[in-house]
Amino acid sequence: MAHLLYSLVFCYLKSNYGLALLALGFISLACLCIGRAGSFVQRLPLPDGHELIWGHERLVFMHEPGHAFRTWIAKLGPTFRIKAAFGAPDILVLSDPTGIAHILQRKIFDYLRSFVHESHDSLVLNDFATFVENTGSPSCELNILTWTAKATLNVVGRVAFLHDFEGGNSREAQDIITARRAGITPAARYAGFLSLMLLRRFPILNDLPIQAIQAQGTAKRTIQAGVAKEMIARNKSFVNPGEKREHRDLLSLLLIASLEDRLSADELSEQISTFIMTGHEATTMTLGFTVWELSRNQGIQDRLREELSDFTGEPTYNDFQSRLPYLDAVLKETLRNFTGEPTYNDFQSRLPYLDAVLKETLRKYPGLPYMERVATKHDIIPLGQPVKLSDRSVTSQVEVSPGQIVLIPIIAIQRLNSLWKDAEKFRPERWLEDLPSEVKQYPGWSNLLVFSDGPRSCVGSRLAMFQYKVILSGLVTRFRFGAVPGEVTLKIASSIQPWIKGHEARGPQLPVSIQLI
Ligand code: HEM
């Protein structure tokens, strides 16, 4: 029966999106009536203000990322439920550190880890300097994201795939960046939200030719049809499964896995596009947000520049490595045994303020603002802070059934005033002080959830932090950044994206003024 209904909806979708929506709304209403009464999660506190079709999800979408969750956490505590769109079962929202640690650290690790390889980005820095010089004026304005995208793509190409994206200027690099930008704008619009809600409720819609849905995959398809094919063809003959130890880059490891039939051709292509996309997207945004914050906080920018100039003078990537022997040793240790646990706190001992700027950016602008997990079996999630149920009893655990969606509102947790005191302020100094004890209860690298935690945490976090530090050091010692008028609003299009109010059509923007030092 449900199948028949979906087929009908498909016909509508092909011809009329509005009618199809109505039909899906109808099905959802039917689902709403059937509901999931009686589950434990239904006894958790529920914020006011949900709508019949949208539940609370439209409210979440309409405000700045994290805003709705922060309001609800302040009112109901860290554990509650919200109504999902289209009559899907209620979503468990979990900001409780004990519960989060339970969820993120239970799964068995089964992801192929990558090796980091040598990288050079002086090419990109020089390219940037030439760009600024060529403007012919002492200072110019630029959307810094256009440049950080090129820089990070260049690093990921060289580090993971032995591929030269020519400082992000090659045709294929430009194709990837353009495709990604083309995918972001529709995803952040209302139609994008609508598509996401429909997809979550009716995953079968994934293959339909709806622009806001398909736009998400444009960059992936661009990579798979272009550079991924090229990389595979060019490198396949160089790898030899018998000499695994000689091959330390990710591409060779993937190719060996494919030659040994541990990875299908499709999986190989998926892995390459996933690593290229995830490997440059979040770091692009993190670096962009840092530069933007520095442009508005000259004191912080000066302090950082001072720390770096005491240390490096005029650094290139290679200088950076040779002048930081300990940092270099940590990197080499990482190369030698990637599955070991090189401590990134080691970075702190040498450049503590740079480290603090990185952490403060990741706290305020987590690339992935919300993280979702779906329970695959019945489970009991322990809580640090008890929650009051609808029958007024108090509990320190939440029972979940298979299929239950659990949402961890990372950006809300990392911007909660009750945790951080002055959460909206960009203040790297907080990382040089003792963190509040409530913050220390959270799992994750430096008590942040920005890279997730546990076995499925970000496999690229070490590379991300290393390339961030290298690139930012180069930028801050060679350029001065200044503020440009314009109000930035944040939206979510799979990752967190900045828009300038009134200039949304230009896509994600973080404009700053730049001066050569
Ligand atoms: C600042 C930069 C970065 C941030 C904030 C970030 C954040 C994250 C987060 C939160 C996850 C977990 C997602 C989830 O479970 O739903 C993740 C997973 C992942 N990240 Fe990153 N990431 C960054 C950079 C990178 C880089 C540079 C690479 C690769 C070169 C990378 C590759 C991956 C991969 C492959 C996964 C999936 C891991 C798995 O499912 O086991 N990331 N990242």
Side-chain angles (χ1 to χ4, degrees):
M1 175 65 182
H3 226 85
L4 192 69
L5 276 173
Y6 286 141
S7 314
L8 268 171
V9 170
F10 276 177
C11 299
Y12 278 131
L13 269 169
K14 281 190 179 139
S15 55
N16 188 323
Y17 192 43
L19 272 176
L21 198 62
L22 266 179
L24 285 170
F26 178 74
I27 300 173
S28 308
L29 270 177
C31 299
L32 255 181
C33 299
I34 298 163
R36 253 207 189 194
S39 85
F40 188 98
V41 170
Q42 291 235 299
R43 293 161 62 200
L44 289 172
L46 181 75
D48 297 332
H50 64 273
E51 300 164 311
L52 189 63
I53 293 286
W54 302 113
H56 288 96
E57 301 210 69
R58 205 172 67 96
L59 258 172
V60 170
F61 174 80
M62 297 304 279
H63 288 99
E64 282 250 316
H67 176 87
F69 288 109
R70 271 184 290 163
T71 314
W72 294 329
I73 292 169
K75 224 169 163 182
L76 305 172
T79 310
F80 53 94
R81 68 187 159 116
I82 57 170
K83 289 275 169 208
F86 296 117
D90 293 356
I91 295 170
L92 165 59
V93 180
L94 194 67
S95 311
D96 182 286
T98 311
I100 292 174
H102 171 84
I103 287 186
L104 297 183
Q105 300 194 352
R106 281 174 63 101
K107 303 277 155 52
I108 291 161
F109 184 73
D110 61 355
Y111 207 96
L112 184 62
R113 283 187 173 242
S114 77
F115 281 87
V116 184
H117 205 80
E118 193 187 340
S119 163
H120 308 269
D121 86 326
S122 53
L123 167 71
V124 190
L125 264 188
N126 289 337
D127 184 49
F128 190 42
T130 312
F131 168 82
V132 179
E133 269 166 357
N134 285 350
T135 61
S137 67
S139 154
C140 68
E141 282 181 20
L142 179 83
N143 172 14
I144 193 66
L145 297 176
T146 55
W147 190 81
T148 54
K150 291 205 294 181
T152 54
L153 192 55
N154 195 56
V155 173
V156 158
R158 284 172 182 260
V159 165
F161 298 108
L162 308 177
H163 183 82
D164 187 0
F165 279 115
E166 295 167 25
N169 291 316
S170 69
R171 192 189 41 78
E172 64 230 325
Q174 286 303 310
D175 285 350
I176 294 169
I177 293 170
T178 311
R180 180 62 191 134
R181 282 175 69 82
I184 286 172
T185 310
R189 293 213 176 106
Y190 199 75
F193 159 73
L194 197 68
S195 311
L196 202 70
M197 293 299 106
L198 283 167
L199 270 181
R200 193 212 262 141
R201 190 72 177 109
F202 310 104
I204 202 163
L205 299 180
N206 213 351
D207 297 327
L208 286 183
I210 300 170
Q211 197 214 4
I213 295 176
Q214 295 309 323
Q216 284 290 298
T218 315
K220 182 178 108 169
R221 285 190 296 275
T222 305
I223 295 169
Q224 291 184 349
V227 74
K229 269 195 179 146
E230 218 177 277
M231 284 173 181
I232 295 169
R234 198 177 52 221
N235 292 289
K236 212 161 190 167
S237 57
F238 295 124
V239 295
N240 179 358
E243 293 165 9
K244 253 182 243 174
R245 284 173 170 277
E246 305 306 312
H247 304 294
R248 320 216 79 180
D249 64 285
L250 176 69
L251 179 63
S252 302
L253 291 178
L254 290 174
L255 287 172
I256 290 173
S258 135
L259 286 175
E260 291 176 350
D261 287 333
R262 287 185 285 122
L263 213 58
S264 70
D266 282 351
E267 282 168 337
L268 176 63
S269 186
E270 283 285 334
Q271 291 284 357
I272 294 175
S273 56
T274 299
F275 269 92
I276 292 181
M277 289 310 301
T278 54
H280 98 105
E281 169 80 15
T283 325
T284 297
M285 304 313 297
T286 308
L287 274 164
F289 280 119
T290 303
V291 172
W292 187 78
E293 283 284 2
L294 295 184
S295 76
R296 276 160 172 68
N297 294 284
Q298 292 296 323
I300 297 176
Q301 194 179 146
D302 288 341
R303 182 168 173 184
L304 181 58
R305 191 170 290 117
E306 209 172 290
E307 178 181 87
L308 291 165
S309 60
D310 281 354
F311 210 86
T312 52
E314 181 87 45
T316 61
Y317 182 89
N318 290 337
D319 288 340
F320 193 89
Q321 273 189 313
S322 56
R323 301 262 189 112
L324 289 164
Y326 191 64
L327 189 61
D328 193 43
V330 173
L331 175 68
K332 290 208 173 99
E333 183 62 13
T334 314
L335 290 173
R336 195 182 64 73
N337 180 8
F338 197 77
T339 50
E341 287 300 332
T343 68
Y344 265 81
N345 291 338
D346 290 341
F347 281 115
Q348 249 176 308
S349 59
R350 291 285 168 133
L351 287 166
Y353 200 64
L354 175 61
D355 195 70
V357 170
L358 164 69
K359 285 177 182 157
E360 187 63 348
T361 309
L362 290 173
R363 178 189 72 78
K364 227 183 139 187
Y365 304 100
L368 189 77
Y370 306 134
M371 192 158 60
E372 285 191 3
R373 292 287 185 266
V374 182
T376 51
K377 56 178 187 190
H378 179 263
D379 195 14
I380 294 177
I381 303 173
L383 299 177
Q385 187 174 319
V387 57
K388 202 187 233 180
L389 301 178
S390 51
D391 59 6
R392 294 179 179 274
S393 61
V394 173
T395 180
S396 290
Q397 54 188 40
V398 176
E399 282 178 46
V400 292
S401 314
Q404 175 65 52
I405 295 178
V406 184
L407 187 149
I408 301 173
I410 298 176
I411 194 167
I413 297 169
Q414 294 185 178
R415 287 191 183 206
L416 269 181
N417 268 328
S418 54
L419 281 180
W420 301 90
K421 319 291 180 222
D422 50 358
E424 285 301 326
K425 205 164 173 197
F426 186 80
R427 196 172 68 81
E429 283 73 10
R430 74 176 82 242
W431 295 98
L432 305 174
E433 302 157 2
D434 199 20
L435 284 182
S437 56
E438 299 86 344
V439 170
K440 285 187 189 162
Q441 290 171 10
Y442 279 87
W445 169 80
S446 296
N447 305 106
L448 292 174
L449 293 163
V450 64
F451 292 117
S452 182
D453 198 23
R456 297 307 293 246
S457 62
C458 176
V459 287
S461 59
R462 294 179 184 123
L463 169 63
M465 288 189 273
F466 188 71
Q467 70 163 305
Y468 171 97
K469 287 182 176 183
V470 170
I471 294 173
L472 189 65
S473 311
L475 282 177
V476 170
T477 44
R478 289 178 72 173
F479 308 96
R480 175 172 290 283
F481 298 98
V484 165
E487 193 187 333
V488 167
T489 52
L490 300 179
K491 284 240 169 241
I492 296 177
S494 72
S495 59
I496 191 169
Q497 301 289 337
W499 259 258
I500 300 296
K501 265 197 179 153
H503 297 286
E504 286 80 1
R506 292 187 194 162
Q509 297 272 318
L510 283 175
V512 292
S513 77
I514 301 162
Q515 231 182 318
L516 275 171
I517 291 177

